[in-house]
Amino acid sequence: MTARGFKLPPLQDNPDGSWGPSPAHLPAKFKDIPYAPYSKSDKLGRFADWTEGDARATGPSAAGATGPGGPGGRGGMRAGGRKDGPQAYGSGASNAFSYFHVEDEASFSLVDNKTSAPRRGGGGYGFQRGRGVGRGSMMGGRGGGNMRGGAGGAAGWGRGGQYGGRGSNRGMNRRGWKDWEKTSKVREGSVVIDPTWRMLEEIDFLRLSKLRLEVEQPETIESYGRIYAYDKAYDRVTTRNERPLVIPEKTRFNPSTSDDPVIQKFIQGEVASIYATDSILSMLMCAPRSVFGWDIIAIRDGENLILDKRDGGSSDTITVNENAADPPGDSEKETLNSATSLALEAMFINTNFAIQVVKDDTFSELPNPNPFAEDVDQLASAGYFYKLFDLSVNDEEEVKLLLRTEVDAYMPGSNPSKGEGLVTIKALNEFDAKAPGAGGAPDWRTKLDSQRGAVVATEMKNNSFKMGRWAVQSILAGAELMKLGYVSRANTRDNSRHVILSTATMRPSEFAAQLNVSLMNGWGIVRTIVDLCFKHPEGKYVLIKDPNKPVIRLYAVPHDAFAKDEEGEDDMVYEEDGE
């Protein structure tokens, strides 16, 4: 038996090295047929598959395809036993077989003015009442096509067209309902970024929240001011015997770091290398909790770094419901409950509440007088303690921070000159529980006495950043107690008259633990920002929180940025903290 011979057919090698049939050796019968080149995005499979079922078939086979084992059955399979449907060949290069209109038909239009009557309980993809959407329909009926679940229709959809059971709404996830109708709010920054500014660093909040630095107890260098005793009668105020909030005729100063004469004296004496106030530092330590925009000025002068603020800047702003799911917003028309109006109202309430709840005839003089004014009789109760913190990581370096802290009062019977019985006083404000931006807060007049825990939990959720700053400021000042007042509007449509509904007492360390505020994380953030500023040469920088993203950025700005002119106004155009 002789072996059969095999003759290799001729192979055509394209001169240009391309793949595919060459026009020079193309058979005549394939001359006018377009060739679709191969694409990596094509789905490759069987070139012939006799296991594919005919979707248009009728009879028992077609009934079985849509039954429990069909595309709409429990097996969840579609034609051909695949979950992703029939294969699409040539999807990456279909232009060769595309159909193009030869003639322009743009002038042709079909108008149908006939109105269709509304249908009740019909099939389709909408939610329906009753037991399912109908037998054989696209969703919810027995044996519905192209949906998992068989007799129940789509996966997880029971009879009645609802998710989770017969005709019930249990398990229906309504999160994001009608979100497509809502326009995304773009908040405006606390300061306009000039095009000439150069961005140096950008840090996201996820990285900031992982920083840690343990700092020892500070050393109090000097103390200034006069502190009044707290009036314990306000601890007995309830919603049944509310007190009006009065406007006292006293003044309290809160100068920036560079305008503080005591800090200037310490800078000349080279006491530390970093200088700041508790208001600025608390904002930096609680930065991962912030939502609105804010800014901090950093001045690098030789071996010193001064963390400063703008006059009327975001560090002095007390936001309202900043961390709520739908916080108050600003619009072109200034309203009573806009974010800017509520922030000014909150600052007004905090200042007056701290002055009102102290005794005018009982006070204690600190070793040094108030450094910001001479007429002490017209000054509000305020004590300024200058403390020195050591931020060094190892023994080889020396990084010290001089911080100005403030307290509002002291408990009667204690000695505030020795740092005993110091108290910080803050106030939460209620504007309108039914207004947009209220954050789901309950009505204080009806719930504050009976369900105080629910009120406090809601405020902690809606004002996490603000209350975290208050806790950090109290701890940095060495206060033993923190008085938290609940102040509401006398009339929801009038933001000029307020009443005091209650006053709560808490310890700052326990309050910080309830808010889940970590001082070690705050010190790690401060040390990281300080190292970034010292990495760059001398000059003026600004640290800006993006109002729409959880990131902070460091910009290099000119020396005359934010400088005051002769009229006392800044040369830059500032914007409020946003919506």
Side-chain angles (χ1 to χ4, degrees):
M1 184 176 179
T2 59
R4 294 184 178 182
F6 175 75
K7 184 179 179 181
L8 187 67
L11 299 178
Q12 304 295 338
D13 188 12
N14 295 339
D16 55 354
S18 62
W19 174 259
S22 174
H25 303 87
L26 191 65
K29 59 181 179 179
F30 300 133
K31 183 177 181 182
D32 297 327
I33 298 179
Y35 170 70
Y38 168 74
S39 174
K40 290 184 178 180
S41 62
D42 287 344
K43 294 182 179 180
L44 301 180
R46 306 177 183 90
F47 66 91
D49 190 356
W50 290 274
T51 62
E52 291 280 354
D54 189 359
R56 296 172 295 177
T58 58
S61 60
T66 57
R74 292 182 177 86
M77 293 294 190
R78 298 194 183 189
R82 290 186 296 270
K83 295 184 179 181
D84 54 351
Q87 295 282 1
Y89 302 106
S91 59
S94 60
N95 292 333
F97 303 98
S98 299
Y99 171 74
F100 300 96
H101 287 282
V102 180
E103 299 179 359
D104 185 14
E105 299 180 358
S107 60
F108 175 78
S109 63
L110 178 63
V111 180
D112 185 8
N113 296 326
K114 182 180 178 181
T115 59
S116 59
R119 301 178 62 184
R120 294 181 177 269
Y125 289 96
F127 298 128
Q128 306 294 341
R129 295 185 180 181
R131 300 183 57 183
V133 187
R135 295 176 179 267
S137 60
M138 296 301 293
M139 175 181 282
R142 293 180 180 271
N146 279 349
M147 292 290 174
R148 300 184 185 183
W157 291 80
R159 298 185 180 183
Q162 303 295 335
Y163 189 88
R166 298 194 178 192
S168 65
N169 289 327
R170 290 179 296 178
M172 183 68 176
N173 189 1
R174 296 182 63 87
R175 183 176 300 171
W177 177 249
K178 287 189 176 181
D179 278 351
W180 58 274
E181 293 184 352
K182 300 179 181 178
T183 57
S184 59
K185 297 180 180 179
V186 179
R187 304 184 184 93
E188 297 179 351
S190 60
V191 63
V192 177
I193 300 177
D194 193 273
T196 59
W197 296 358
R198 184 165 47 94
M199 189 182 73
L200 304 176
E201 306 286 347
E202 178 176 315
I203 309 176
D204 59 282
F205 284 176
L206 183 61
R207 294 169 55 191
L208 293 179
S209 60
K210 297 180 180 180
L211 301 174
R212 294 290 184 275
L213 178 62
E214 187 174 358
V215 177
E216 299 178 353
Q217 290 296 323
E219 174 190 357
T220 302
I221 301 178
E222 291 181 359
S223 57
Y224 293 78
R226 174 190 287 183
I227 311 178
Y228 290 80
Y230 175 75
D231 191 355
K232 293 184 178 180
Y234 286 90
D235 291 340
R236 298 185 291 271
V237 175
T238 62
T239 55
R240 293 182 295 273
N241 60 344
E242 58 187 31
R243 291 194 180 186
L245 182 68
V246 300
I247 303 177
E249 296 181 356
K250 290 190 176 182
T251 307
R252 178 165 181 171
F253 292 91
N254 184 25
S256 61
T257 309
S258 57
D259 294 338
D260 192 329
V262 181
I263 292 183
Q264 293 296 330
K265 181 185 68 174
F266 289 140
I267 293 177
Q268 296 177 0
E270 298 181 355
V271 175
S273 56
I274 310 166
Y275 301 88
T277 63
D278 58 350
S279 176
I280 298 174
L281 204 69
S282 63
M283 176 176 290
L284 196 57
M285 296 176 75
C286 299
R289 296 171 175 262
S290 61
V291 177
F292 295 163
W294 48 263
D295 58 275
I296 297 176
I297 299 175
I299 303 175
R300 172 80 188 281
D301 185 10
E303 298 298 327
N304 298 326
L305 178 65
I306 301 174
L307 300 179
D308 209 346
K309 67 174 183 178
R310 297 183 291 107
D311 288 340
S314 53
S315 61
D316 295 331
T317 304
I318 301 176
T319 59
V320 178
N321 291 353
E322 177 178 352
N323 300 97
D326 188 14
D330 281 330
S331 59
E332 296 180 359
K333 183 179 179 181
E334 193 70 18
T335 59
L336 192 68
N337 298 324
S338 63
T340 304
S341 301
L342 291 175
L344 295 175
E345 182 182 356
M347 189 162 49
F348 167 83
I349 291 174
N350 268 267
T351 303
N352 295 336
F353 179 76
I355 298 174
Q356 181 176 343
V357 297
V358 297
K359 297 180 178 179
D360 293 337
D361 55 350
T362 306
F363 58 87
S364 175
E365 297 283 356
L366 294 179
N368 299 288
N370 193 304
F372 310 121
E374 297 180 357
D375 189 4
V376 295
D377 295 333
Q378 297 298 324
L379 294 179
S381 175
Y384 304 95
F385 292 83
Y386 294 84
K387 299 189 175 185
L388 191 64
F389 293 85
D390 189 2
L391 305 184
S392 302
V393 179
N394 48 51
D395 297 336
E396 299 178 357
E397 64 178 3
E398 185 178 6
V399 181
K400 293 193 175 181
L401 166 68
L402 181 74
L403 186 68
R404 186 191 75 204
T405 61
E406 300 180 20
V407 295
D408 303 300
Y410 72 96
M411 296 303 295
S414 60
N415 188 359
S417 300
K418 297 182 180 180
E420 300 175 358
L422 300 179
V423 180
T424 56
I425 303 173
K426 307 296 179 182
L428 294 170
N429 62 300
E430 180 192 36
F431 54 99
D432 188 358
K434 299 180 181 180
D443 186 12
W444 287 4
R445 285 178 170 81
T446 58
K447 303 295 184 181
L448 193 57
D449 292 339
S450 59
Q451 300 180 12
R452 182 180 292 265
V455 175
V456 174
T458 305
E459 292 301 317
M460 286 184 176
K461 177 177 66 72
N462 294 338
N463 298 283
S464 174
F465 177 56
K466 175 175 68 176
M467 299 178 76
R469 288 186 61 192
W470 290 348
V472 170
Q473 288 179 258
S474 302
I475 295 175
L476 294 177
E480 294 184 4
L481 296 176
M482 179 179 174
K483 298 291 183 178
L484 190 62
Y486 294 88
V487 182
S488 178
R489 291 178 182 174
N491 188 335
T492 56
R493 297 183 179 181
D494 186 5
N495 62 351
S496 60
R497 296 185 300 110
H498 302 83
V499 292
I500 303 173
L501 301 179
S502 180
T503 304
T505 305
M506 54 195 68
R507 298 190 177 276
S509 57
E510 298 176 359
F511 185 55
Q514 293 177 1
L515 290 168
N516 198 21
V517 175
S518 173
L519 248 66
M520 293 180 60
N521 174 243
W523 286 120
I525 295 174
V526 172
R527 180 58 197 267
T528 301
I529 299 301
V530 167
D531 291 343
L532 289 178
C533 294
F534 275 117
K535 185 176 70 174
H536 299 284
E538 297 185 18
K540 193 172 187 178
Y541 306 91
V542 59
L543 189 68
I544 298 178
K545 156 68 173 66
D546 191 301
N548 301 297
K549 296 180 182 179
V551 296
I552 56 176
R553 300 183 179 94
L554 183 67
Y555 291 88
V557 300
H559 289 279
D560 57 349
F562 314 111
K564 299 178 181 178
D565 55 17
E566 297 178 356
E567 298 178 358
E569 297 179 355
D570 293 350
D571 61 347
M572 300 297 296
V573 180
Y574 300 128
E575 298 180 359
E576 296 298 335
D577 271 354
E579 298 177 10

